[in-house]
Amino acid sequence: MTESYQPPVAEFPLLQQNPQLIYLDSAATCQVPAAVLNSFQHYFTSTHANVHRGSHRLGRAATDLLENARGIAAAFIKAPADDVAFASSTTAALNGLAQQLPVSWREGDEILLTDAEHHANILPWQRLAKQHRLVLRFIPVDPVSGGLGDWQQLINERTRLISVTLASNITGAIFPVAAVCALARQRDIPVIVDAAQAVGHTELDVTALDCDALVFSGHKAYGLPGVAVLYMNARWWRRMEPFVVGGGVVRQVTRHDAELVDSIQRFEAGTPNTAAISATVTALEWLQQQRAMGLTGYLQELRQQLVDGLQQRPWLQVLPAGANHTPVVSFYCPQVHAYDLAVWLDEQQVAVRAGHHCAQLLLQSWDLTAVVRVSLAAYTTAAQVQQVLQYLDEAWQMLGPTAE
Ligand SMILES: Cc1ncc(COP(=O)(O)O)c(C=O)c1O
């Protein structure tokens, strides 16, 4: 075990108040450290005012805070701050992109996704495809390695857009999105990266990736729900209509038209949730500090212990869990339904998720309907991993075919 890293459990008020809880659902949403909660509260007791409007000093302080947060979020993904907008969620950003992309769609144009996409990166494209008679193509996912199948073959002269997740929310597999971007760039095909599952576990670098857009939700990285960071390449956003329009983004309005500001803030009409944004960038800074202290290596070792333990239990089928994965592991038991296992674990105060995890395509392609997902985070301990394996043994005894 990485000696240097100590899981900072004491920094998580919810976990302190529920010492028996074993929270293994961090891929759905992370628990929030006290530093982030303090930042949220501090905003309301020190800086709360509307942004980009006030001529008073509190309004200017709130605006400065928001713009400082933009700089921190941008640095976190190595993007220019001018190309980073705050959105309310990954889902909202992907919907907005799908409706406003500066692409003149023609019938039969193709959008390339993977079978591993979260529904948030499928439904907006389905809607767009119906509007313009587009064709959606899906890169298959290998059931043994969990990696992408032959994606190069699926890029052709009709491909007008690629939108892919950087990591599967079911297996944790990290996909070769840099290679996808490189080939797409050669062919002048824009790429959108859904980094919701990657943000908590891999360094993000939009400059190295050379993608056209990248988005993640703050709550997947110890931040607050209601905040997403959306990077858009300037080539794109300067030609794109904002997803919503209204106050705060306007230069001049006449009865029948409006001239909008020409900065990235044009994508943030209305009053932003500055408190949650500011708390979320505190979370990103917190995460960077944890990484510097060895978090990534620690979680990889913990994940390996979990995978080894699961694989030693022949009555469990573990979905692909190779080397290049985030600490998210899914499995099922052919004789005991995933929900029954999850309910059993819940009775032991273990929070895991069972079901299709909003990624039905992946499970369908593997002929599965529900799996149990265990996802690890900074506050997970080795003892908790062993405890869960023991509870699974008890579940097998109580619920398996030889149970009385
Ligand atoms: C890969 C992926 N994309 C998108 C989303 C949607 O994120 P949100 O619900 O924050 O919009 C999730 C959430 O689980 C996800 O795992």
Side-chain angles (χ1 to χ4, degrees):
M1 190 42 77
T2 305
E3 294 296 330
S4 54
Y5 191 79
Q6 297 298 325
V9 185
E11 292 186 41
F12 287 81
L14 184 142
L15 300 178
Q16 291 303 291
Q17 283 179 36
N18 299 276
Q20 304 305 319
L21 174 65
I22 301 183
Y23 184 77
L24 297 172
D25 196 18
S26 299
T29 196
C30 289
Q31 295 302 335
V32 179
V36 174
L37 298 174
N38 292 343
S39 164
F40 185 77
Q41 190 167 11
H42 179 69
Y43 168 81
F44 285 111
T45 52
S46 67
T47 323
H48 178 49
N50 213 327
V51 297
H52 298 311
R53 292 162 174 81
S55 47
H56 53 80
R57 67 189 72 176
L58 199 56
R60 286 199 298 277
T63 304
D64 288 348
L65 191 74
L66 179 66
E67 293 311 316
N68 187 44
R70 191 185 313 281
I72 296 169
F76 183 78
I77 55 173
K78 304 196 173 44
D82 291 348
D83 296 341
V84 170
F86 290 109
S88 59
S89 65
T90 301
T91 304
L94 290 169
N95 274 273
L97 284 168
Q99 287 305 309
Q100 299 301 346
L101 286 181
V103 177
S104 349
W105 300 105
R106 282 165 305 179
E107 183 174 341
D109 282 347
E110 295 185 6
I111 296 177
L112 186 58
L113 311 170
T114 77
D115 269 345
E117 298 313 317
H118 187 278
H119 296 166
N121 196 27
I122 301 174
L123 273 66
W125 307 115
Q126 288 180 340
R127 178 190 276 182
L128 185 74
K130 284 178 193 146
Q131 285 164 351
H132 298 280
R133 296 173 180 269
L134 310 176
V135 176
L136 299 185
R137 295 221 178 275
F138 293 87
I139 302 169
V141 178
D142 187 276
V144 178
S145 71
L148 293 186
D150 195 357
W151 53 271
Q152 291 93 337
Q153 295 293 321
L154 288 163
I155 300 180
N156 61 47
E157 63 288 350
R158 298 300 322 248
T159 311
R160 300 291 303 286
L161 177 77
I162 301 174
S163 188
V164 287
T165 187
L166 189 44
S168 162
N169 72 326
I170 291 196
T171 65
I174 298 173
F175 297 134
V177 170
V180 173
C181 289
L183 184 62
R185 183 65 63 217
Q186 281 172 23
R187 306 209 183 162
D188 214 15
I189 303 166
V191 181
I192 297 172
V193 179
D194 173 354
Q197 284 299 321
V199 61
H201 305 293
T202 64
E203 298 279 346
L204 298 174
D205 183 338
V206 296
T207 309
L209 267 184
D210 197 14
C211 54
D212 295 271
L214 178 142
V215 61
F216 66 83
S217 299
H219 70 97
K220 307 279 191 189
Y222 308 94
L224 298 190
V227 178
V229 174
L230 170 61
Y231 159 78
M232 291 182 284
N233 169 334
R235 284 191 295 272
W236 243 16
W237 71 256
R238 290 197 178 282
R239 294 188 291 128
M240 207 186 300
E241 284 295 313
F243 311 155
V244 290
V245 285
V249 298
V250 163
R251 256 202 197 133
Q252 182 77 36
V253 176
T254 58
R255 284 221 166 108
H256 301 289
D257 212 351
E259 189 195 333
L260 303 184
V261 295
D262 58 10
S263 59
I264 193 82
Q265 283 83 351
R266 72 207 319 257
F267 289 88
E268 295 171 355
T271 301
N273 190 346
T274 310
I277 289 170
S278 147
T280 295
V281 298
T282 302
L284 299 181
E285 292 177 316
W286 182 90
L287 175 56
Q288 291 289 47
Q289 286 160 11
Q290 298 301 313
R291 282 183 179 153
M293 290 190 280
L295 172 64
T296 308
Y298 169 78
L299 285 178
Q300 280 308 327
E301 286 179 40
L302 221 53
R303 183 187 78 94
Q304 199 53 55
Q305 290 173 14
L306 174 66
V307 171
D308 291 346
L310 292 169
Q311 286 176 340
Q312 280 158 16
R313 289 158 169 83
W315 38 277
L316 291 177
Q317 303 288 318
V318 185
L319 298 194
N324 197 18
H325 284 232
T326 66
V328 170
V329 184
S330 291
F331 59 89
Y332 62 97
C333 172
Q335 290 95 344
V336 184
H337 198 281
Y339 285 109
D340 292 336
L341 283 178
V343 168
W344 168 270
L345 290 174
D346 184 48
E347 280 164 8
Q348 321 310 316
Q349 302 217 48
V350 178
V352 296
R353 188 155 164 207
H356 54 62
H357 309 279
C358 296
Q360 283 188 6
L361 291 189
L362 186 66
L363 291 193
Q364 282 163 14
S365 72
W366 293 348
D367 266 338
L368 297 169
T369 50
V371 294
V372 177
R373 180 181 72 186
V374 172
S375 46
L376 314 179
Y379 34 76
T380 313
T381 65
Q384 289 179 330
V385 167
Q386 294 310 318
Q387 181 69 72
V388 168
L389 292 167
Q390 194 185 315
Y391 284 146
L392 282 169
D393 287 339
E394 292 171 20
W396 176 242
Q397 276 156 25
M398 297 299 291
L399 309 172
T402 54
E404 308 230 319

